Amino acid sequence: MSSTLVASAPPPALGSPALSCRDVQVSFRHQEVVCGVDLELGNGEWLGIIGPNGAGKSTLLRSIVGLIDFDGTVDLGDGRAPGATDVALVPQFPELPKGMTVAEYVLLGRTAHLGWLARESRADRQIVSSVLHRLELGEFADRLVSTLSGGEAQQVVVARALAQQCPVLLLDEPTSALDLGHQVSVLELVDDLRRTEGLSVLAAMHDLSAAGRFADRLILIDHGRIVAQGCPDEVLRSDLLSAVYGTSLTVQSIDGELVVLPAPRRRTRHPEETP
């Protein structure tokens, strides 16, 4: 059995649409949370969504997979509305059922591919085994998900989404509970899959430096509206980010990669200190 995690057909050319949103609007209690968002995700592209807390990033992703009612349209490249075998979501706050092992939980990702009353096949279980191996989670297969640390649980949720083998992957702060080493390994795995197998990635990310490192393009959202979009070096600008995030930020290029940092503090000199 191949270790391929997504469909093995040759990936379409980068730039052809995988997913499109047109005038997507979401309101809660008569208050607009997402305000007429238009975006297009190309096949094999990583499109990052950045913005402060409450900007509407998670709400937008949840509307795309049909978890939230919305106005507007969300279509795949062939014009169909996305289904469970087309788009997988890694949520920011996943619910892990008690009494279920890691392998059983990841196997839930295969549910969308099963017929009515069908059971998982050997091929489904091999896909799960492959995913766990790629994420270095093989030793966790028989552990109960309720015993996992926050970082371990986050990796298992990513594994379930990859086992779903959808051509479009939505990530909602996928590394928020991970240490630095596992953040890099998970993001690099997703990046490898989209480069080698045509996986298209739409990711809401708090880590602006990671967003600039992995995304082909960025969309900056504030109060539910897109305020900037383009290549990382067009969006990750000190003046723009400082205005949207409400704090002074600086953007530096280190070894060819953009790094977003808080502006240096102005240290207040204590009265008895010598100038």
Side-chain angles (χ1 to χ4, degrees), residues 37-38 50 53 65 77 109 145 162 200 204 223 226 235 247 262:
V37 167
D38 294 327
I50 60 174
N53 290 336
V65 294
V145 293
L162 293 178
S200 304
H223 294 96
I226 295 178
V235 178
T247 189

Side-chain angles (χ1 to χ4, degrees), residues 76-101:
L76 300 171
D78 59 8
R80 293 183 298 113
T85 59
D86 303 305
V87 180
L89 171 67
V90 177
Q92 185 175 3
F93 302 109
E95 294 184 8
L96 299 179
K98 295 181 179 179
M100 184 172 284
T101 68

Side-chain angles (χ1 to χ4, degrees), residues 3 13 20 39 53 68 86 104-105 122 124 142 158 176 191-192 215 222 226 241 261:
S3 62
S20 297
L39 65 83
N53 290 336
I68 295 176
D86 303 305
E104 291 169 339
Y105 177 77
R122 174 184 289 185
D124 292 315
D142 296 325
V158 172
S176 58
D191 193 46
D192 178 63
D222 189 26
I226 295 178
L241 296 178
L261 300 168

Side-chain angles (χ1 to χ4, degrees), residues 37-274:
V37 167
D38 294 327
L39 65 83
E40 188 168 282
L41 174 68
N43 273 300
E45 182 183 29
W46 186 314
L47 178 58
I49 305 176
I50 60 174
N53 290 336
K57 304 185 299 297
S58 296
T59 300
L60 176 61
L61 295 185
R62 288 168 60 82
S63 66
I64 289 173
V65 294
L67 296 177
I68 295 176
D69 291 335
F70 66 94
D71 293 319
T73 60
V74 176
D75 295 322
L76 300 171
D78 59 8
R80 293 183 298 113
T85 59
D86 303 305
V87 180
L89 171 67
V90 177
Q92 185 175 3
F93 302 109
E95 294 184 8
L96 299 179
K98 295 181 179 179
M100 184 172 284
T101 68
V102 167
E104 291 169 339
Y105 177 77
V106 176
L107 190 59
L108 291 176
R110 302 301 304 158
T111 303
H113 297 271
L114 301 180
W116 180 250
L117 297 180
R119 295 181 62 84
E120 298 87 356
S121 66
R122 174 184 289 185
D124 292 315
R125 297 183 183 278
Q126 286 177 321
I127 289 170
V128 169
S129 177
S130 174
V131 171
L132 292 176
H133 174 73
R134 291 287 295 272
L135 286 173
E136 299 182 351
L137 293 171
E139 63 185 75
F140 292 85
D142 296 325
R143 278 185 55 180
L144 295 176
V145 293
S146 58
T147 67
L148 301 176
S149 69
E152 292 165 348
Q154 191 72 45
Q155 293 178 79
V156 169
V157 174
V158 172
R160 172 180 167 169
L162 293 178
Q164 197 169 332
Q165 287 191 316
C166 293
V168 177
L169 180 63
L170 308 185
L171 304 175
D172 190 3
E173 307 298 344
T175 60
S176 58
L178 302 181
D179 60 55
L180 186 58
H182 285 104
Q183 286 181 28
V184 173
S185 63
V186 167
L187 293 177
E188 287 186 341
L189 172 60
V190 172
D191 193 46
D192 178 63
L193 289 172
R194 66 111 178 180
R195 291 181 184 278
T196 60
E197 302 180 28
L199 185 69
S200 304
V201 180
L202 181 61
M205 307 175 73
H206 269 313
D207 187 331
L208 300 180
S209 299
R213 178 182 182 186
F214 287 97
D216 299 303
R217 290 188 298 126
L218 294 176
I219 289 177
L220 175 60
I221 293 182
D222 189 26
H223 294 96
R225 300 182 185 277
I226 295 178
V227 296
Q229 57 184 310
C231 298
D233 59 356
E234 296 173 325
V235 178
L236 298 181
R237 302 194 335 253
S238 298
D239 57 342
L240 179 59
L241 296 178
S242 297
V244 170
Y245 283 86
T247 189
S248 184
L249 299 172
T250 181
V251 180
Q252 301 177 14
S253 178
I254 300 177
D255 294 332
E257 294 188 352
L258 298 177
V259 178
V260 181
L261 300 168
R265 291 180 57 191
R266 291 187 177 182
R267 186 182 175 210
T268 302
R269 181 175 295 145
H270 199 272
E272 59 266 23
E273 285 184 319
T274 302

